[in-house]
Amino acid sequence: MKKLGVAVIGTGFWGRNHARVFKELPETELLAICDINAERARTVANQFGVKPYTNTGSMLKNKDIEAVSICTWSTSLAEEALKALKAGKNVLVEKPMAANAKQAKQLLSTADREGLHLTVGFLMRFIPGLQRIRKEVEAKTLGEPVCATAKRVSQWPERIGDVGVVKDTAIHDLDVMRYVFNEDPIAVYAKTGSMRHGKFEDYAQIMLTFKGGQSAFIESNWLTPYKTRILTVTGSEAIMKLDYITQELTIENAKETLQPRYTLQEPLKLELQHFAKCIAGKEKPIITGMDGLKALHIAEAALKSSATGKAVKLE
Ligand SMILES: NC(=O)c1ccc[n+]([C@@H]2O[C@H](COP(=O)([O-])OP(=O)(O)OC[C@H]3O[C@@H](n4cnc5c(N)ncnc54)[C@H](O)[C@@H]3O)[C@@H](O)[C@H]2O)c1
């Protein structure tokens, strides 16, 4: 089987993991990496035995590179993704996909025009427990869906300096809520603020409402001294709780408590394998560019709601 030629753009904390996984997967061949920090580019390229680049211009001319992961700072993701799409590469762009929805739209139209695959790094969707929750909600084994609450709190990762906690962190849960209820929210109300971060919001409480009557509540911050990542989905007959860190899932109804076990798998591995299989036409995309755009749109509406003190309707 021919391997998919891939490259990673931005090899800091997260991009380095993309490079490692691409190296490990049987479906992909890591051909190059690029980082504007020359020393980092050299170190990471040496680690994986590939060619380092400090700008994408010449790297993207390599025809053997068919797909790229974009893992640069959040505010430069869209610019790099656009260059890659224009060079004919399939793209996995990390969340939040772009600095704003306008840039994200440009990525969608470019991918569409060029006939390329565009996806966004919403890693949570590859956790088996979350996929199970979605199935149970769909099958109504929880009864009627009532609400979902997500808590994603920890201390500020200081390397994140160009967006706030809404676009960096809560965006995962904005996507998760759309995924779990298989529906777009119709309104958002949020309260955000900054306690320690000089430039951006470092805490956010976001409430979403859905047409079917369900609601979602998201608590995100960079203040809590320990890391918690939990999702609870309440239905009229049962409750499901997922701990993203341990990947433990609990299902409770009036009669019993179940703890289905899944083999612990690295979600990034599942995500990048799926990306390669989609490009090969073997799987249908779980996450599209449109999912990225929609989450970013809700994130912007949440920030607007907080600034105005009013709920914002979403089209
Ligand atoms: N999906 C997830 O769960 C997840 C987890 C962590 C980070 N991320 C995302 O990954 C991205 C990177 O985060 P990080 O924590 O690795 O940040 P980081 O600061 O550790 O790394 C970013 C790297 O990109 C490089 N860079 C910046 N602009 C560049 C450009 N134009 N071309 C090439 N290299 C460039 C920087 O030199 C740096 O090495 C962010 O968008 C973040 O939101 C996603």
Side-chain angles (χ1 to χ4, degrees):
M1 186 191 71
K2 187 187 165 288
K3 290 188 174 198
L4 179 77
V6 295
V8 177
I9 301 172
T11 52
F13 162 74
W14 195 234
R16 218 175 283 214
N17 284 322
H18 278 244
R20 170 182 55 76
V21 170
F22 278 138
K23 192 84 191 170
E24 288 168 3
L25 285 175
E27 290 86 358
T28 55
E29 183 178 4
L30 181 69
L31 295 174
I33 62 96
C34 174
D35 200 293
I36 48 171
N37 177 329
E39 198 186 322
R40 184 168 285 175
R42 227 179 3 256
T43 310
V44 176
N46 277 346
Q47 183 183 351
F48 297 111
V50 296
K51 198 165 171 194
Y53 289 86
T54 50
N55 76 70
T56 48
S58 47
M59 186 181 89
L60 292 174
K61 289 196 183 112
N62 181 346
K63 290 212 162 36
D64 294 332
I65 298 173
E66 295 165 81
V68 293
S69 274
I70 317 276
C71 308
T72 61
W73 297 310
S74 293
T75 45
S76 57
L77 291 169
E79 191 186 330
E80 292 306 328
L82 193 62
K83 279 195 230 161
L85 289 168
K86 285 187 174 166
K89 313 299 179 194
N90 297 286
V91 167
L92 185 157
V93 58
E94 263 308 335
K95 57 82 193 166
M97 186 182 193
N100 54 55
K102 193 172 160 213
Q103 289 180 346
K105 274 186 199 152
Q106 201 185 359
L107 296 185
L108 259 72
S109 57
T110 309
D112 205 35
R113 197 175 56 238
E114 304 290 329
L116 292 163
H117 185 68
L118 172 67
T119 188
V120 183
F122 287 135
L123 196 65
M124 302 304 121
R125 290 202 194 194
F126 293 90
I127 294 177
L130 184 64
Q131 294 176 344
R132 170 81 180 259
I133 290 179
R134 153 89 179 239
K135 275 198 196 118
E136 302 285 342
V137 170
E138 213 164 20
K140 299 231 168 159
T141 47
L142 270 70
E144 288 303 319
V146 178
C147 68
T149 63
K151 194 175 174 102
R152 194 175 291 273
V153 300
S154 51
Q155 283 200 311
W156 174 36
E158 288 191 22
R159 61 178 195 283
I160 309 293
D162 57 346
V163 289
V165 78
V166 173
K167 287 184 182 172
D168 181 82
T169 308
I171 197 144
H172 275 301
D173 298 305
L174 295 175
D175 178 66
V176 163
M177 298 307 179
R178 290 188 56 245
Y179 174 67
V180 163
F181 292 130
N182 198 17
E183 214 183 299
D184 291 320
I186 52 169
V188 55
Y189 178 75
K191 167 90 177 72
T192 70
S194 176
M195 294 262 178
R196 295 206 192 118
H197 200 296
K199 239 168 119 189
F200 293 101
E201 81 284 351
D202 54 17
Y203 68 89
Q205 287 82 243
I206 304 171
M207 186 171 173
L208 306 173
T209 51
F210 292 81
K211 203 165 63 213
Q214 322 85 293
S215 50
F217 186 79
I218 297 167
E219 180 189 359
S220 286
N221 77 41
W222 285 333
L223 303 170
T224 307
Y226 52 84
K227 191 169 168 173
T228 302
R229 268 110 176 86
I230 283 174
L231 173 72
T232 308
V233 180
T234 303
S236 55
E237 308 301 323
I239 290 174
M240 297 187 85
K241 187 173 169 188
L242 174 68
D243 184 326
Y244 290 108
I245 299 172
T246 60
Q247 295 196 17
E248 276 169 5
L249 178 68
T250 310
I251 308 172
E252 287 182 275
N253 60 30
K255 288 196 195 121
E256 57 191 355
T257 299
L258 301 171
Q259 284 197 305
R261 274 189 243 299
Y262 296 97
T263 314
L264 203 68
Q265 292 182 77
E266 187 181 2
L268 185 60
K269 207 162 186 168
L270 299 173
E271 179 182 70
L272 298 186
Q273 192 162 38
H274 173 67
F275 177 51
K277 285 185 177 171
C278 286
I279 293 166
K282 290 182 180 154
E283 286 183 7
K284 268 185 75 183
I286 292 175
I287 300 156
T288 61
M290 183 56 83
D291 290 315
L293 171 61
K294 286 187 172 179
L296 200 49
H297 182 59
I298 305 166
E300 287 183 337
L303 290 168
K304 185 175 167 195
S305 166
S306 179
T308 58
K310 292 185 180 143
V312 174
K313 282 193 179 157
L314 300 158
E315 310 96 52

